[in-house]
């Protein structure tokens, strides 16, 4: 597995926890505390996981992340936002079980199978 996941979250412990979880599944992981260098790292990532708090603070709509390309997982306090198959999944916090790993696999599998057809 050589997919790279970009994790963007303001809380250091939360970022490191996500990094550990993803690396233990064999993914390469880049972490950012904010959106400042997002574009630079986005180009290297196969999937982005972003905490909704960052988007609200930076006033960045989810659509803009999707316009940057590739699948996006948003970690949110509520799942009121809608998911977009193959490109966007919303996961409600607190994170339980393997929700993040399952979402990453699903999005990367859809992206890979969509590219192969």
């Amino acid at each position: 597995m050589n997919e790279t996941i970009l994790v963007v979250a303001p809380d250091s412990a939360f970022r490191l926890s996500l990094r550990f979880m993803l690396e233990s599944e064999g993914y390469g992981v880049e972490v950012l505390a904010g959106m400042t260098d997002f574009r630079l790292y986005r180009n290297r990532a196969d999937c982005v996981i972003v905490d909704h708090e960052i988007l609200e603070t930076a006033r960045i709509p989810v659509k803009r992340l999707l316009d940057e390309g590739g699948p996006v997982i948003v970690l949110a306090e509520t799942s009121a936002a809608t998911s977009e198959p193959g490109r966007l999944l919303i996961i409600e916090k607190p994170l339980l079980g393997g929700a993040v790993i399952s979402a990453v696999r699903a999005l990367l599998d859809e992206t890979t199978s969509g590219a192969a057809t």
Side-chain angles (χ1 to χ4, degrees), residues 15-105:
R15 276 193 317 273
L16 294 178
S17 175
L18 286 170
R19 172 182 231 150
F20 176 77
M21 178 177 50
L22 291 161
E23 286 178 341
S24 70
E25 292 293 322
Y27 294 103
V29 181
E30 298 280 349
V31 294
L32 294 173
M35 297 300 288
T36 305
D37 294 325
F38 177 78
R39 281 198 171 137
L40 172 68
Y41 286 89
R42 178 62 185 114
N43 293 332
R44 299 185 231 166
D46 298 293
C47 180
V48 172
I49 299 175
V50 62
D51 191 301
H52 193 261
E53 184 180 323
I54 289 275
L55 299 177
E56 287 180 0
T57 302
R59 297 179 189 210
I60 296 173
V62 172
K63 182 179 178 345
R64 185 166 134 204
L65 293 181
L66 292 172
D67 291 344
E68 297 281 337
V72 176
I73 297 169
V74 176
L75 307 175
E77 298 296 327
T78 177
S79 61
T82 59
S83 295
E84 186 176 318
R87 299 193 64 216
L88 172 68
L89 287 175
I90 309 295
I91 299 177
E92 193 169 347
K93 296 188 293 184
L95 305 177
L96 301 174
V100 172
I101 297 299
S102 295
V104 167
R105 285 185 184 142

